[in-house]
Amino acid sequence: GWPQLEPELFRLRLQSVLYASFSLQTLFQSPDEGWQVYTSAQAPDGKCLCTAVIPVQGTCSRDLRSRQLRQLMEKVQNISQSMEVLDLRTYRDLQYVRNTESLIKGLDSRLKVATESQKNLNAKSFQELKDKMAELMPLIPVLDQYKSDTRTIMQLKEEVRNLSGSLLQIQEEMGAYDYEELQQRVLVLEARLHACMQKLGCGKLTGVSNPITIRASGSRFGSWMTDTMAPSSDSRVWYMDGYYKGRRVLEYRTLNDFITGQNFVQHLLPHPWAGTGHVVFNGSLYYNKYQSNIVVKYHFRSRSVVVQRSLNTAGYNNTFPYSWGGFSDIDFMVDENGLWAVYTTNQNAGNIVVSRMDPVTLEILRSWDTGYPKRSAGESFIICGTLYVTNSHLAGAKIYFAYYTNTSSYEYTDIPFHNQYSHISMLDYNPRERVLYTWNNGHQVIYNVTLFHVIKTSGEL
């Protein structure tokens, strides 16, 4: 996505993206509650990149006063670092919008000159000027929003500074300040940061970066993933080679361990899997049991099946797979809204069905018939409640179809998608890192995604 860079700079840029996606936990030492990463990756033209690290909502455990104070100090330090990241991103975006503002003014003056000397201007070029001006006018409220966001960040930084000073004082006096009030102020700050990030959290997919190959290992087909619900300090990677009858799941301690193939433990599943549509969510593996439409929730810590349930009428055993086959009838996914299953049935005439699932009971909460034939799809993934479908698993694939569950509507898309190794057998979105995980012909690959945020004049997304 950065064609203007020299090859060596481009490689370094990819390394920095990889570091940002997977290694933020080394920058932010987290308290027990953990941290989550929210990012909107860079557009190909470099226009927008928003990154923030915010604490997961949680309450401090009632413990000794000194421990509570230490945890509060850590929270303030982490919030300060988060604000620095947010400040940097906003400053860069604001610079872009300021440049755009001058462009708007320049176009406006050109339009005035053209209006005053119409005899030198034909109708077509005059209309082109008007059209260009009309296209740029919606950027004015965007500029106002960025200016407003900058003021908000300055206020938040001041509040953090004040809170930090109070905590330093209480550390010296050990008991002169009311802990409950301090805790409440921290929670309010956390809530405001969370709301700020939620505002920029979801958007429409507009682009996918060039692939970043993490490792080449295993057979042609398989899946690999991290836990989408774990705090950022937990960077374990799970690895499942093959597409049917497998039972061996490897758990690597960190991404670096996965890259080097060391420091892993093995889980042996009680039931073999089918396909590659597995997902790790909140400490459990969700997968399709081989030669059945039964879905299984396997808990890693207890090494046991917590619950299994038949996905009634769902096709299995290559009845309704993706175009590459491989028993890929049932595909689990996780996005910002929770757990989903993508599959199809005879009643739906082989069209993709997407269902929200209860991650505890595996009950279906709601289903949508997308109308898209599953056998014609290469793979699919969900971002912010929208199902995106590729038109092939081979070279030349693109993201061709989008189904919006919030409005029960669809559209055909044309988003380029570089299939570097020409055979994708697994494609999943990770909302924690905001990247796509892919198994491509024996290569484990990630893609950054670019999401478009519509900013209205009211300041709401």
Side-chain angles (χ1 to χ4, degrees), residues 320 343-345 348-353 369-374:
F320 299 115
Y343 57 99
T344 191
T345 68
N348 291 88
N351 291 332
I352 291 177
V353 177
D369 181 354
T370 66
Y372 194 96
K374 189 163 183 290

Side-chain angles (χ1 to χ4, degrees), residues 382-399:
I382 289 179
I383 300 179
C384 300
T386 299
L387 179 76
Y388 296 95
V389 181
T390 67
N391 63 344
S392 170
H393 62 283
L394 302 171
K398 62 183 178 181
I399 298 166

Side-chain angles (χ1 to χ4, degrees), residues 63-80:
D63 202 348
L64 295 172
R65 188 179 183 86
S66 60
R67 182 181 171 190
Q68 293 173 331
L69 292 173
R70 188 169 63 253
Q71 287 178 337
L72 278 172
M73 287 295 290
E74 290 171 351
K75 280 191 178 182
V76 170
Q77 182 184 4
N78 288 331
I79 291 172
S80 300

Side-chain angles (χ1 to χ4, degrees), residues 438-458:
T438 307
W439 188 295
N440 193 340
N441 214 351
H443 297 79
Q444 291 73 52
V445 179
I446 63 166
Y447 297 83
N448 286 290
V449 297
T450 301
L451 302 184
F452 177 67
H453 309 281
V454 179
I455 303 176
K456 300 176 183 174
T457 51
S458 63

Side-chain angles (χ1 to χ4, degrees), residues 208-226:
V208 176
S209 75
N210 281 325
I212 303 167
T213 301
I214 304 300
R215 185 183 176 191
S217 66
S219 64
R220 194 177 192 188
F221 318 95
S223 61
W224 70 294
M225 65 219 82
T226 59

Side-chain angles (χ1 to χ4, degrees), residues 287-316:
Y287 72 96
N288 175 209
K289 184 178 176 182
Y290 179 57
Q291 288 188 320
S292 74
N293 58 13
I294 293 172
V295 294
V296 178
K297 177 183 178 182
Y298 175 84
H299 188 243
F300 283 116
R301 183 174 292 175
S302 64
R303 293 180 177 263
S304 63
V305 171
V306 181
V307 62
Q308 54 182 323
R309 180 184 294 273
S310 174
L311 202 58
N312 289 333
T313 70
Y316 61 95

Side-chain angles (χ1 to χ4, degrees), residues 97-165:
V97 179
R98 280 175 178 156
N99 294 340
T100 309
E101 184 180 30
S102 64
L103 179 61
I104 292 173
K105 288 176 179 175
L107 273 173
D108 191 36
S109 63
R110 281 178 59 193
L111 192 61
K112 284 176 182 172
V113 170
T115 307
E116 289 165 3
S117 55
Q118 290 186 28
K119 58 178 173 240
N120 298 325
L121 195 69
N122 60 39
K124 182 181 177 184
S125 57
F126 183 72
Q127 186 59 45
E128 285 175 353
L129 271 174
K130 286 182 70 178
D131 290 345
K132 284 288 181 189
M133 193 63 201
E135 287 174 14
L136 284 172
M137 289 310 290
L139 287 168
I140 293 176
V142 175
L143 176 67
D144 292 335
Q145 181 60 42
Y146 278 128
K147 287 179 178 176
S148 171
D149 284 350
T150 307
R151 286 193 296 271
T152 304
I153 287 167
M154 293 305 296
Q155 291 167 2
L156 283 170
K157 286 180 72 175
E158 187 59 34
E159 288 186 44
V160 170
R161 225 176 272 123
N162 293 341
L163 181 54
S164 186

